[in-house]
Amino acid sequence: MAHLIFIGLAYTSLVAFLDEARKIGGTNGLFLCRHYLGDWSTVSCKAVQVQQAQVLREGLKYDRQFSFAEFQELPHAGDKSVSSGAPGWKFVTQRKYERLANIRIEIWVPDPVSPHYSSEEANVQSDGVLVVRYPDPRQSAGNLEGSKVFKIPYNPTVTQIKERGYTMEKMKIWKDCPDALLIASTMQRDPPTWLTDVQAYIKSSFPLALFRVAARHERQVFRNAPRKAELGYQSVVGFADAYPLHLLGLASVADLDRRLSTVAPEFSTTSALRFRANIYFGGRTAYAEDSWKRIKIGEQVFHVACRTTRCELPNVDQYTGKRHKSEPSKTMKSYRNIDEGAGPGSACLGMQMVPAAELGVIKVGDPIEVLNTGTHYYIKQ
């Protein structure tokens, strides 16, 4: 792929940055990170660090554009075209399959200055290539040494969709059932080896598929999000849980570390990666972000829509893909039940955001300016 360039740094660089920032109480700028397949570019796979990111109305470019899904019963399908209890595709994350944390994602994008660059080249026409590295299911769990690899077009053209036999299918994600692009499934007559390998590795007993967000089929965001009358557009997401962006202060994670160190010593150095945010920021004041309502990062303004309510996913170690039986969720619930709207027993950590404009760029090192503060009341789905 000589005409393509890799847009992220190594995962180990990301881990080192977060650990060092936690030790010193933050950094003097902004840190961005991205998740792919499951809960980041591909939902619930390993993070990719970037030095800058383009902000779109659905969040950061390349973020959460792919997801694995299982074919199973859908008792509460949100789309009227899918009857209650009818079988269908449902997205999966580390909430169910913690081994997804050991699947590493890379995105290679066209490099116009490459001597091999050509607008006629297939990888250029598809805006790049998604590269997925996963442990061999026949070897030890989480071992990426000698890992297996598959590659697919990042944004396939109409011609590529037809040639590769991709189809449009509904995929349930929470209460929504958007149309999405089905890349491959184990229900095909001859399923690709890489998909059956992933199915075996995560130990899924259901048919498995890989989906991509389909253009013009994003999910509209309401609840705590600003409305079109205020923004000039209605906010949307691809395969993100609920809102376009997730922001988290490293000082908040450090405070959680301190509390965990007394009840669960193995969590004395909790990785901020467990919380799978898009934007990590430095500073020494824990939970400063709790009251933010509108902020400016560099030249881009964001509405801070609501707090992030926490499920059990942070119990998965993003280094190993192993799940702790109770922490850090148990400790968070003991003191972060701070939003009446979220209900009793719902811990909150981090903030959900909506871009104030449909297009912009934010960079590592951009300052954060707090424009407005206020109270938050979480609105459930």
Side-chain angles (χ1 to χ4, degrees):
M1 298 188 292
H3 55 286
L4 302 179
I5 56 174
F6 181 41
I7 64 169
L9 299 182
Y11 175 74
T12 51
S13 298
L14 172 61
V15 170
F17 176 92
L18 289 174
D19 283 351
E20 184 62 23
R22 179 193 56 76
K23 292 174 185 176
I24 65 175
T27 64
N28 292 323
L30 172 72
F31 179 71
L32 312 176
C33 83
R34 185 86 42 77
H35 299 261
Y36 301 99
L37 276 178
D39 265 269
W40 288 347
S41 172
T42 301
V43 177
S44 277
C45 296
K46 280 196 184 297
V48 176
Q49 178 186 0
V50 294
Q51 294 299 312
Q52 67 177 35
Q54 188 174 1
V55 180
L56 308 175
R57 63 176 184 164
E58 62 267 29
L60 302 186
K61 187 176 182 180
Y62 305 114
D63 186 43
R64 294 172 171 91
Q65 294 298 297
F66 293 85
S67 180
F68 287 115
E70 289 181 326
F71 195 83
Q72 55 184 255
E73 296 297 314
L74 303 177
H76 302 294
D79 191 294
K80 294 182 180 179
S81 65
V82 180
S83 60
S84 178
W89 294 107
K90 180 180 179 180
F91 87 126
V92 295
T93 73
Q94 291 178 30
R95 296 173 183 89
K96 183 175 183 180
Y97 297 117
E98 61 269 24
R99 283 189 170 191
L100 284 168
N102 291 325
I103 297 178
R104 183 173 298 172
I105 306 300
E106 298 173 2
I107 293 182
W108 292 75
V109 299
D111 181 10
V113 301
S114 167
H116 304 283
Y117 180 87
S118 169
S119 60
E120 301 301 317
E121 212 283 333
N123 290 338
V124 173
Q125 293 181 346
S126 65
D127 297 330
V129 175
L130 182 79
V131 179
V132 182
R133 302 181 187 276
Y134 61 95
D136 189 327
R138 291 164 287 277
Q139 297 180 0
S140 60
N143 180 15
L144 281 170
E145 294 298 326
S147 61
K148 308 187 79 173
V149 181
F150 70 88
K151 306 170 186 175
I152 58 174
Y154 173 74
N155 188 18
T157 64
V158 173
T159 299
Q160 290 170 341
I161 290 172
K162 184 176 181 181
E163 290 176 346
R164 292 170 177 260
Y166 299 164
T167 59
M168 293 290 287
E169 301 281 349
K170 289 192 177 295
M171 188 194 79
K172 182 173 173 62
I173 178 167
W174 302 119
K175 293 185 178 181
D176 299 324
C177 280
D179 288 321
L181 191 63
L182 176 62
I183 302 298
S185 85
T186 57
M187 295 176 70
Q188 297 171 206
R189 178 174 297 180
D190 296 306
T193 301
W194 59 262
L195 190 56
T196 56
D197 278 349
V198 170
Q199 181 185 35
Y201 175 69
I202 67 173
K203 299 184 177 181
S204 169
S205 59
F206 295 93
L208 191 71
L210 178 64
F211 281 86
R212 194 205 190 284
V213 173
R216 298 181 298 280
H217 290 279
E218 298 89 353
R219 298 142 55 215
Q220 287 191 320
V221 179
F222 294 99
R223 297 166 64 193
N224 289 96
R227 298 302 190 260
K228 183 177 180 179
E230 181 178 357
L231 287 180
Y233 73 97
Q234 190 59 48
S235 180
V236 298
V237 292
F239 292 152
D241 278 354
Y243 293 88
L245 290 157
H246 178 203
L247 172 141
L248 178 60
L250 293 173
S252 303
V253 179
D255 183 71
L256 174 60
D257 277 349
R258 180 181 60 79
R259 296 168 187 270
L260 280 165
S261 65
T262 64
V263 295
E266 67 270 29
F267 282 90
S268 60
T269 55
T270 304
S271 171
L273 288 173
R274 286 178 178 263
F275 304 99
R276 303 183 68 80
N278 298 111
I279 301 171
Y280 293 95
F281 69 93
R284 297 184 180 276
T285 304
Y287 317 113
E289 62 270 29
D290 280 349
S291 63
W292 293 356
K293 297 290 285 187
R294 202 163 62 97
I295 64 173
K296 187 176 183 181
I297 302 176
E299 297 300 319
Q300 307 305 315
V301 175
F302 299 87
H303 293 270
V304 185
C306 63
R307 298 186 176 99
T308 304
T309 58
R310 290 298 175 182
C311 62
E312 303 297 314
L313 194 151
N315 292 358
V316 177
D317 189 329
Q318 300 301 303
Y319 294 73
T320 66
K322 295 181 180 180
R323 187 191 309 275
H324 191 276
K325 62 180 180 180
S326 61
E327 296 291 2
S329 293
K330 182 179 178 180
T331 295
M332 284 194 293
K333 289 178 180 179
S334 72
Y335 79 103
R336 288 296 295 173
N337 183 17
I338 61 172
D339 194 307
E340 291 184 6
S346 295
C348 298
L349 189 68
M351 306 300 290
Q352 300 289 318
M353 303 200 305
V354 174
E358 294 188 69
L359 187 63
V361 174
I362 53 178
K363 303 175 182 178
V364 172
D366 279 347
I368 297 179
E369 179 183 357
V370 179
L371 302 177
N372 298 104
T373 60
T375 59
H376 286 280
Y377 186 90
Y378 185 83
I379 298 175
K380 299 180 180 180
Q381 284 188 321

